[in-house]
Amino acid sequence: MENKILVLAPNFYGYTKSILEKIRQNGLEVDFFDTRPSVSGFKKAKMRKNAKYNFKILEQYKKTIMEATSSVQYALVIVIACVTFNKDQLEEILKAFRCKKIFYMWDSFCNYPQTEKILSLFDKKYSFDPIDCSKFDMIYQPTFYSENCLLNKNKDFDQTINNDVFFVGSYLPQRYITLKRFIAYARENGISFRHHFYIKSFFVYLYYKLQNRKMRMKRKDFTHKEMSESEKLKNIRESQCILDIPYGEQAGLTMRVIEGIVLGKKIITTNQEIKNYDFFKTGNVAVISESDFTEVSKDFINKKTVEFDEDYEERFSVDSWVKNVVLSNL
């Protein structure tokens, strides 16, 4: 079918849904498969611990995808941040399709180095990370905010500010350490801080706790319920600043930073590369380390944000993403 697209991607918060909806709004049909098989929290923890069991589950899931797509002719196949299947498994899925194959990475290769092996399977490769683009000959394409984010900006909401700083994110070991330090810093400096730290399930929490005994992880620090997009945007809207703790050494902008820019919020981030982006303004962005938060003062928080250029609404929109990654390749 000339207007049918296959998308293989992690079902990440509401961002994948935004892509699929925007593709359909452009008159195209989409088949979607999450690159992460839907399994219980116990099985997910077992997959992390047992390589043979992980391979077995992924092999079964690979066959499910292949059987479901075997009789369909696609105009385009798009794979986003596939960090579950290995190269052989992904190659077996893709070999049935004679159309153009596109890869988009919204994580950095420094955090998922094994992903470099699958690049040869694709006709065109994009990344949100400018350093990875230079290193692996990829096309730079930033991530995006959802249309609901823009609605939150344009609607006449109550403008009450309830928090100085807001953070939402999922568990990573170094992120947990940094977050605990920032909680203590905020308390000592009279900074109101709301955070939502997500871990998939109790079993996944237990797995990480046993793997990282020295961190002394406490269950009360985590929630096993993902924050909805509407709740997340409400908290961003009601906060002065967004705290961003990206994974490892990534240089690409997280979606949280982009949402903060669009909603006119100050950004606090450990991403040192943000200084090289054209929107960087010291009054709007505080660059911190994993242990030094002195840039985050009450003066920084309370000072009026310098408005970002309207150009960023277009540049970071899901419309722009779909136009550049999907429509331009049909």
Side-chain angles (χ1 to χ4, degrees):
M1 188 175 290
E2 291 183 1
N3 68 338
K4 197 161 193 176
I5 293 172
L6 175 63
V7 176
L8 305 175
N11 199 0
F12 182 64
Y13 286 92
Y15 300 112
T16 308
K17 182 181 177 182
S18 290
I19 289 173
L20 300 177
E21 287 178 349
K22 186 55 62 175
I23 291 174
R24 292 184 180 114
Q25 286 173 18
N26 279 276
L28 302 168
E29 292 186 38
V30 185
D31 284 342
F32 167 71
F33 290 90
D34 194 331
T35 50
R36 300 174 297 189
S38 178
V39 296
S40 67
F42 174 76
K43 285 186 176 181
K44 190 174 288 290
K46 188 176 178 180
M47 287 172 71
R48 294 177 187 275
K49 191 173 182 180
N50 189 317
K52 288 185 177 179
Y53 183 73
N54 180 68
F55 180 77
K56 177 184 176 182
I57 295 295
L58 289 176
E59 278 291 296
Q60 292 172 347
Y61 188 50
K62 177 196 73 177
K63 291 176 183 177
T64 299
I65 294 174
M66 292 177 67
E67 288 172 5
T69 59
S70 61
S71 61
V72 185
Q73 289 185 330
Y74 293 105
L76 192 67
V77 174
I78 299 171
V79 177
I80 300 174
C82 185
V83 297
T84 47
F85 292 114
N86 62 33
K87 182 181 178 181
D88 290 340
Q89 290 169 326
L90 188 59
E91 185 172 21
E92 194 169 352
I93 293 171
L94 295 177
K95 70 181 181 182
F97 311 120
R98 298 187 179 182
C99 59
K100 187 184 289 187
K101 302 172 185 70
I102 306 298
F103 180 67
Y104 180 78
M105 189 63 169
W106 60 27
D107 286 304
S108 288
F109 284 89
C110 62
N111 303 319
Y112 297 98
Q114 73 277 13
T115 309
E116 180 187 349
K117 298 176 182 177
I118 70 173
L119 291 179
S120 61
L121 303 177
F122 297 93
D123 301 298
K124 216 166 181 180
K125 287 90 65 177
Y126 298 82
S127 172
F128 86 126
D129 192 309
I131 292 178
D132 284 345
C133 287
S134 297
K135 190 174 181 180
F136 300 107
D137 193 26
M138 301 174 77
I139 301 166
Y140 175 64
Q141 174 60 50
T143 50
F144 54 88
Y145 62 88
S146 71
E147 291 189 334
N148 286 334
C149 181
L150 203 58
L151 289 174
N152 270 258
K153 178 179 180 179
N154 295 334
K155 279 189 176 180
D156 186 22
F157 285 103
D158 179 7
Q159 297 301 311
T160 302
I161 298 296
N162 294 320
N163 312 293
D164 289 329
V165 183
F166 171 63
F167 169 85
V168 57
S170 54
Y171 170 79
L172 294 167
Q174 191 57 44
R175 181 179 286 165
Y176 180 59
I177 293 170
T178 304
L179 190 66
K180 291 286 281 184
R181 290 170 179 164
F182 190 86
I183 290 171
Y185 176 85
R187 188 182 302 120
E188 292 167 4
N189 289 274
I191 296 170
S192 60
F193 179 39
R194 172 162 166 67
H195 56 280
H196 181 96
F197 206 29
Y198 173 73
I199 201 164
K200 184 74 174 178
S201 70
F202 171 73
F203 294 106
V204 175
Y205 156 78
L206 195 60
Y207 166 78
Y208 282 123
K209 183 177 176 66
L210 294 173
Q211 288 288 103
N212 301 279
R213 293 177 187 270
K214 290 183 179 179
M215 285 201 299
R216 299 179 181 179
M217 292 170 62
K218 296 179 181 179
R219 192 178 181 187
K220 68 180 179 65
D221 293 334
F222 303 96
T223 177
H224 302 316
K225 183 180 179 182
E226 264 187 318
M227 181 174 278
S228 68
E229 184 185 24
S230 60
E231 182 71 9
K232 176 198 67 179
L233 291 172
K234 179 177 182 292
N235 277 282
I236 293 175
R237 198 176 67 242
E238 295 178 353
S239 302
Q240 298 273 46
C241 309
I242 307 305
L243 175 62
D244 172 54
I245 311 173
Y247 187 14
E249 301 299 319
Q250 77 175 49
L253 300 175
T254 63
M255 284 138 169
R256 202 72 64 249
V257 167
I258 290 173
E259 288 164 342
I261 290 171
V262 171
L263 292 176
K265 302 300 177 177
K266 291 189 177 72
I267 309 299
I268 302 166
T269 181
T270 56
N271 182 355
Q272 303 295 315
E273 291 296 323
I274 201 169
K275 297 174 184 176
N276 297 321
Y277 285 85
D278 58 1
F279 63 80
F280 179 79
K281 294 181 176 72
T282 54
N284 286 356
V285 183
V287 183
I288 59 175
S289 73
E290 294 173 343
S291 58
D292 182 359
F293 313 122
T294 51
E295 292 291 319
V296 186
S297 63
K298 289 292 286 187
D299 182 60
F300 169 79
I301 291 169
N302 293 327
K303 194 174 181 180
K304 187 176 179 181
T305 304
V306 179
E307 285 195 19
F308 292 100
D309 296 336
E310 291 296 318
D311 165 65
Y312 297 118
E313 285 187 10
E314 169 58 27
R315 192 192 303 187
F316 296 137
S317 68
V318 66
D319 273 298
S320 181
W321 193 96
V322 168
K323 178 182 178 181
N324 294 335
V325 177
V326 181
L327 303 181
S328 70
N329 287 299
L330 289 173

